[in-house]
Amino acid sequence: STKPKTYRDLGELLNQVEDPAVVVLGSPGCGKSTLLRRLELEVAQRGLADPEQPVTFFIQLNQYKGESRGEPAPAPLKWLTERWSSRHSEMPPLPDLLKTGRMILLLDALNEMPTANTAALLEAVLRWKDFLDRVVNDHPGTRAVFSCRTLDYSAPLSTPGLRVPQVVVEPLTDEQVAQFLEKR
């Protein structure tokens, strides 16, 4: 059996893993969202010095729903495009940025999409899978990082044509927590 590879952070992972999309798995409160946010910050900081750096878009999938109650959620690209425009009106539209092949989509909490039941949640996950297939085919270079609580929800993102590897967030050991607190 091969020893699982460990990474210090998401930046290192994305540099070493070729796959366009990855899923960060972990238990509630283990720091999945924080990892995504930290990558967003690091990329933004590098972007100040280098305009060729990727552009990130962090968004929480618990907001992925229809405009009004009982209305189905829009197609992922439409939804992301609208959210991007309302948050970053000074930036080019999302579809234009995707064409550059330099976008990193940080899609937080796949398992928290507001749906009526498990079947509907699975259907929503499959919608994101189709979006992923299209976006990485049409815009090579685009990356996506999903975070999710359990493998059950994120496993269907993978297809024979597009492998979506799973990365597990390991909780800090007591020793690591102590080191962290000393440094602070």
Side-chain angles (χ1 to χ4, degrees):
S1 67
T2 57
K3 191 173 176 292
K5 192 149 174 34
T6 55
Y7 303 95
R8 273 198 320 275
D9 56 35
L10 269 180
E12 182 179 270
L13 170 78
L14 289 180
N15 285 334
Q16 293 185 24
V17 171
E18 305 257 303
D19 306 87
V22 294
V23 177
V24 175
L25 289 174
S27 54
C30 74
K32 299 181 297 292
S33 304
T34 307
L35 274 175
L36 267 61
R37 287 271 191 207
R38 189 176 148 200
L39 179 70
E40 177 187 41
L41 183 66
E42 286 168 359
V43 172
Q45 283 172 331
R46 288 198 303 268
L48 293 173
D50 175 11
E52 292 303 301
Q53 281 293 313
V55 176
T56 60
F57 185 21
F58 174 91
I59 191 150
Q60 286 168 316
L61 293 177
N62 62 5
Q63 299 163 12
Y64 179 62
K65 53 183 191 285
E67 288 301 302
S68 56
R69 213 177 142 69
E71 203 179 299
L77 181 60
K78 181 176 190 284
W79 182 75
L80 287 172
T81 300
E82 286 166 1
R83 291 288 172 291
W84 176 264
S85 300
S86 68
R87 273 195 218 168
H88 305 289
S89 50
E90 75 295 347
M91 297 276 286
L94 187 67
D96 294 358
L97 286 168
L98 286 170
K99 285 181 189 137
T100 67
R102 290 189 304 133
M103 283 291 303
I104 303 175
L105 301 170
L106 302 170
L107 306 163
D108 193 31
L110 184 70
N111 57 287
E112 287 177 30
M113 291 189 285
T115 53
N117 51 44
T118 313
L121 181 60
L122 185 62
E123 203 176 298
V125 170
L126 294 176
R127 236 179 284 155
W128 283 95
K129 178 186 79 71
D130 292 342
F131 161 75
L132 203 53
D133 277 348
R134 267 205 314 276
V135 88
V136 301
N137 270 319
D138 297 351
H139 311 300
T142 303
R143 309 291 298 266
V145 181
F146 289 88
S147 77
C148 191
R149 269 188 196 173
T150 64
L151 189 54
D152 305 354
Y153 300 119
S154 57
L157 287 171
S158 281
T159 56
L162 179 68
R163 189 182 80 108
V164 180
Q166 319 278 338
V167 190
V168 179
V169 178
E170 290 295 338
L172 293 175
T173 62
D174 291 349
E175 194 183 340
Q176 287 169 320
V177 171
Q179 281 175 351
F180 176 80
L181 292 172
E182 276 167 25
K183 284 182 181 153
R184 295 289 175 271

